[in-house]
Amino acid sequence: MEQAGVEGAEIVVDLAAIRHNCSVIAEVVAPAALMAVVKADAYGHGLIPVALAARQAGVPWLGVATVAEGLELRRHGDTGRILAWLDLPGHVRYEEAAHHDIDMTAYSRRELREIAEGAQAAGRTARVQLKVDTGLSRGGCPLADWPALVAEAHRLQGEGHLLVTGVWSHLACSDEPEHPANEAQERAFGEALAVAEAAGLHPEVRHLANSASAVLRPSSRFDLVRVGLLCYGLDPAPGHLPDLGLRPAMTVQLPLAMAKPITAGTGVSYGHTWVAEHDTTVGLVPAGYAEGIPRHASSRAEVWVAGRRRPVRGRICMDQFVVDLDGELPEPGVPVLVFGPGDRGEPTAQDWAEACETISYEIVTRIGGRMARRYVGEESA
């Protein structure tokens, strides 16, 4: 059932842009292969349509956080390689994952054993990748436990329960190319690979690079790069990346609900945190933080209305926010572009991120709520 919302309030996703972006990135990182990361509903762009667009662009790997996301892709007909990396041991459908040939990630010997048990139940050999913590101090096997993990993986592989298809890790500071952690983590990853090889493991793929490092640090590419934000045409390291000709895939647009004059001294929205310094006009935009319009952008961000950027005035509310129309009175229904590629001068997701002192990942991933999603640039399956 579609979620009820304001007519004309929509997220427009350009699938041709995603295909283009994937093709460009694949050329940049070659001969390393490309994994398009489509976790979290493809960063708010829509899991299934984006996955199909990536496959149409020739992307051999898709990356998801959870096995459930991988199974959703399989239910919709995806037959390519899928890697999942974030599940809670004891609460994962390892049997189903093995049956549907989803590569699963293990951080611990307990996970390896549970995956092997699931594979036995499915009558399959599970595909497993081992993640080592090289310094992010998040997910992954601690370096001190790594020799025991690879030894267990080698034993279970020898028994035919699983096949170790990959070894990988994740960088903490790739958006800061000069940060010393990048070199330290790459060195630690090389050492972890040597331990795995000495234990008798020869994985199909070794991967460390994410979006920023895939471009900025060629030595981190190894056999495969995991690219998320770049696939959606956004910059993971503002101020550092060269212009690759990528195109932002998401546009958020709404209809103007009303416009009206206000006089000098009039407060706007909750708390009257903004007060008009002179007579002006304001417009009501029918979306708010329930749709993922960040409240932190109150009186800081801009939108595009009637050929101009218009500042947000006062606090962003749950269902609506107010913009300054500078004396103009556009008709109700006039389009309001919250953000888009920037072609017409409209703000971008990066502009909104800077207004909120956050990152564009958060802006696009959170957007939604009662807004409909519409796709353009589709290609026949």
Side-chain angles (χ1 to χ4, degrees):
M1 185 175 70
E2 291 188 5
Q3 186 143 8
V6 174
E7 186 71 28
E10 59 182 8
I11 301 164
V12 182
V13 178
D14 185 352
L15 297 175
I18 289 172
R19 291 194 301 273
H20 165 78
N21 297 338
C22 288
S23 296
V24 169
I25 300 160
E27 290 182 10
V28 169
V29 304
L34 174 61
M35 175 188 292
V37 179
V38 294
K39 64 178 182 175
D41 204 21
Y43 290 38
H45 293 69
L47 174 64
I48 302 307
V50 167
L52 177 58
R55 295 300 197 195
Q56 289 170 337
V59 173
W61 284 86
L62 297 178
V64 294
T66 66
V67 165
E69 290 173 320
L71 292 173
E72 182 72 6
L73 289 168
R74 291 291 191 239
R75 279 192 289 273
H76 283 81
D78 191 282
T79 58
R81 298 298 291 276
I82 298 171
L83 174 65
W85 54 70
L86 184 63
D87 279 294
L88 181 63
H91 298 270
V92 188
R93 292 173 288 179
Y94 290 128
E95 180 179 349
E96 196 173 355
H99 179 76
H100 288 283
D101 289 327
I102 293 170
D103 287 58
M104 295 166 276
T105 298
Y107 303 165
S108 68
R109 285 178 288 172
R110 174 186 171 181
E111 282 180 285
L112 277 177
R113 288 191 290 267
E114 290 184 4
I115 290 170
E117 289 168 4
Q120 284 182 286
R124 305 291 289 266
T125 298
R127 287 203 293 248
V128 179
Q129 301 203 10
L130 308 178
K131 184 179 181 184
V132 58
D133 180 6
T134 54
L136 181 60
S137 302
R138 201 177 61 177
C141 178
L143 287 169
D145 298 336
W146 181 246
L149 180 67
V150 297
E152 181 77 350
H154 183 259
R155 181 183 71 81
L156 292 169
Q157 181 170 268
E159 294 175 358
H161 301 315
L162 55 82
L163 174 66
V164 177
T165 61
V167 171
W168 67 285
S169 190
H170 195 61
L171 293 170
C173 303
S174 62
D175 57 341
E176 302 175 61
E178 302 306 318
H179 199 291
N182 294 315
E183 178 64 30
Q185 283 195 260
E186 190 172 329
R187 185 169 57 251
F189 186 60
E191 292 167 359
L193 290 174
V195 171
E197 185 171 351
L201 297 179
H202 305 284
E204 173 188 350
V205 289
R206 305 158 300 159
H207 48 112
L208 177 64
N210 55 11
S211 283
S213 53
V215 177
L216 296 172
R217 195 173 180 84
S219 61
S220 70
R221 291 174 186 160
F222 293 91
D223 306 305
L224 178 69
V225 298
R226 304 181 308 276
V227 173
L229 200 70
L230 282 178
C231 293
Y232 307 101
L234 301 173
D235 189 342
H240 297 293
L241 260 65
D243 183 1
L244 300 176
L246 305 181
R247 181 169 177 77
M250 181 185 288
T251 297
V252 177
Q253 60 186 31
L254 302 141
L256 189 69
M258 68 175 296
K260 61 184 176 184
I262 62 172
T263 57
T266 301
V268 171
S269 195
Y270 288 125
H272 283 183
T273 57
W274 184 84
V275 177
E277 295 180 355
H278 50 76
D279 294 353
T280 188
T281 55
V282 293
L284 184 66
V285 184
Y289 54 79
E291 280 69 48
I293 306 294
R295 191 171 183 267
H296 283 354
S298 299
S299 292
R300 302 179 68 175
E302 296 177 318
V303 299
W304 182 265
V305 186
R308 287 175 52 191
R309 286 194 179 207
R310 315 287 184 161
V312 173
R313 298 302 196 195
R315 285 184 180 152
I316 291 170
C317 308
M318 185 181 293
D319 317 292
Q320 54 201 295
F321 64 93
V322 177
V323 297
D324 193 338
L325 295 172
D326 195 27
E328 298 176 25
L329 288 168
E331 290 294 317
V334 165
V336 176
L337 297 185
V338 179
F339 61 80
D343 297 341
R344 289 165 280 189
E346 77 274 13
T348 63
Q350 182 61 32
D351 291 330
W352 272 76
E354 292 172 7
C356 298
E357 298 182 353
T358 186
I359 53 177
S360 59
Y361 298 76
E362 183 176 2
I363 300 300
V364 295
T365 303
R366 280 188 165 193
I367 207 77
R370 291 161 290 190
M371 286 191 281
R373 220 191 252 134
R374 178 166 62 88
Y375 293 94
V376 298
E378 292 177 288
E379 194 175 84
S380 59

